[in-house]
Amino acid sequence: MSIALFSPTIPHFFQPLLPGFHLSIPLSFFKDYLKGQINCESAVLRSYGRTWSVKIRDRRFEDGWQDFARDHDLHVGDFLVFRYGGNMVFDVVVFDTSACQRQYPLLATQTQQTAKEIGKQHEKRTSTSVTLESPHFVSNLTLESMKSFRLNIPRKFARSNDLDRSCETVLVDEQGRSWMASIRLKDSDGQVYIGRGWRNICIGNSLGLKDCVKLELIGNGITPIFKLYKVASNSDAKKLPNYFGSNAGCSGGSTIILE
């Protein structure tokens, strides 16, 4: 009887940081997921919405790795998890010697400031006599989206704006707050959706069943940035806190929300 081997939906590998600060991609991971990649001599590391370009030689991170290590205050004994998002892009999570995930509020603040700057540029651009509207889509919140904690992005919109991929994103609401979320591509049918983080966004903005939202794409780099508008409200609808609890994790002000 043969045993079927299944690849993980999102491939990961992990490595401890050893003396010398050298870090390599495991050989088996490289063969299974990276061999044959056109640009496997370089990679992009992502953390808290920021990116670092790193050269790869003999599977080892070299040029650019020291910048990533410095910005994350890495120490010998730290434990790093690399989640592969395709096209030589890795999302990196750092754990310290206590086995707890290390937080980087400064990096989160820098991401927030970038989102706010793009939002201000967008407001200036649209405040002229001729309105130059960015690509956008409108969606009605359904019971299915509320229960599944996700918002589908129309396939045509995703394809035409290079969003048919898995990546992190930032949503800026009408109060100027920035919220971190994830965009995911469903392999089975090609549906693109906003998943992790959407629950907190809905609760923090008092969005409920049958409310209508508009998401305007105001920045479309490695980390897309959307402006979130509540364009119509169903005042009689049950609000999301009734389904999921009232604590959205928002401390007020312009705090990035990490779910």
Side-chain angles (χ1 to χ4, degrees):
M1 179 178 178
S2 62
I3 299 176
L5 298 179
F6 296 92
S7 299
T9 303
I10 302 179
H12 297 68
F13 72 88
F14 59 85
Q15 290 282 43
L17 194 58
L18 302 176
F21 274 71
H22 300 305
L23 193 144
S24 299
I25 300 173
L27 179 59
S28 59
F29 188 96
F30 193 90
K31 288 181 176 179
D32 290 343
Y33 300 107
L34 306 182
K35 190 175 181 180
Q37 290 281 343
I38 297 176
N39 297 316
C40 63
E41 298 84 8
S42 62
V44 173
L45 307 182
R46 296 191 302 203
S47 174
Y48 282 86
R50 290 187 57 192
T51 61
W52 289 259
S53 296
V54 177
K55 295 293 184 183
I56 298 176
R57 295 187 181 91
D58 296 327
R59 298 184 289 109
R60 189 167 72 177
F61 293 134
E62 294 199 354
D63 298 346
W65 170 248
Q66 292 298 329
D67 293 335
F68 181 90
R70 180 198 63 231
D71 292 343
H72 289 77
D73 192 26
L74 297 183
H75 297 82
V76 171
D78 286 345
F79 190 86
L80 284 73
V81 177
F82 294 79
R83 181 179 66 183
Y84 185 50
N87 298 318
M88 299 305 294
V89 178
F90 296 87
D91 293 297
V92 186
V93 179
V94 179
F95 295 84
D96 60 25
T97 54
S98 69
C100 295
Q101 181 178 347
R102 182 175 294 156
Q103 302 298 323
Y104 294 96
L106 179 58
L107 294 180
T109 300
Q110 291 170 344
T111 301
Q112 170 208 5
Q113 290 174 341
T114 300
K116 290 181 69 176
E117 289 171 1
I118 292 178
K120 289 179 180 178
Q121 294 171 3
H122 170 71
E123 291 175 0
K124 289 180 179 178
R125 185 165 58 88
T126 57
S127 63
T128 61
S129 57
V130 179
T131 301
L132 303 174
E133 193 168 40
S134 301
H136 66 276
F137 68 92
V138 176
S139 179
N140 291 310
L141 300 186
T142 65
L143 184 60
E144 179 183 359
S145 69
M146 292 165 59
K147 287 185 175 181
S148 62
F149 310 148
R150 74 185 200 186
L151 179 72
N152 287 339
I153 298 177
R155 288 182 173 87
K156 183 177 180 180
F157 182 90
R159 287 194 300 268
S160 61
N161 292 283
D162 192 29
L163 295 174
D164 48 351
R165 53 192 170 100
S166 294
C167 62
E168 300 305 302
T169 184
V170 177
L171 279 73
V172 183
D173 64 23
E174 294 180 87
Q175 299 178 51
R177 298 176 298 178
S178 298
W179 304 75
M180 291 295 294
S182 63
I183 292 176
R184 291 291 176 259
L185 172 62
K186 191 176 179 182
D187 292 332
S188 60
D189 60 6
Q191 179 64 60
V192 180
Y193 61 92
I194 297 175
R196 182 181 60 83
W198 178 246
R199 170 183 179 274
N200 280 353
I201 292 169
C202 289
I203 295 174
N205 287 273
S206 299
L207 298 176
L209 180 63
K210 297 183 180 179
D211 280 348
C212 183
V213 295
K214 170 183 169 183
L215 272 70
E216 188 173 4
L217 185 63
I218 62 175
N220 196 12
I222 294 177
T223 303
I225 300 176
F226 288 93
K227 185 67 183 274
L228 172 68
Y229 301 93
K230 186 175 181 180
V231 296
S233 175
N234 180 6
S235 59
D236 296 327
K238 291 183 178 180
K239 295 301 178 183
L240 279 173
N242 294 331
Y243 288 87
F244 311 128
S246 60
N247 182 12
C250 178
S251 60
S254 298
T255 304
I256 290 183
I257 304 303
L258 297 173
E259 186 179 41

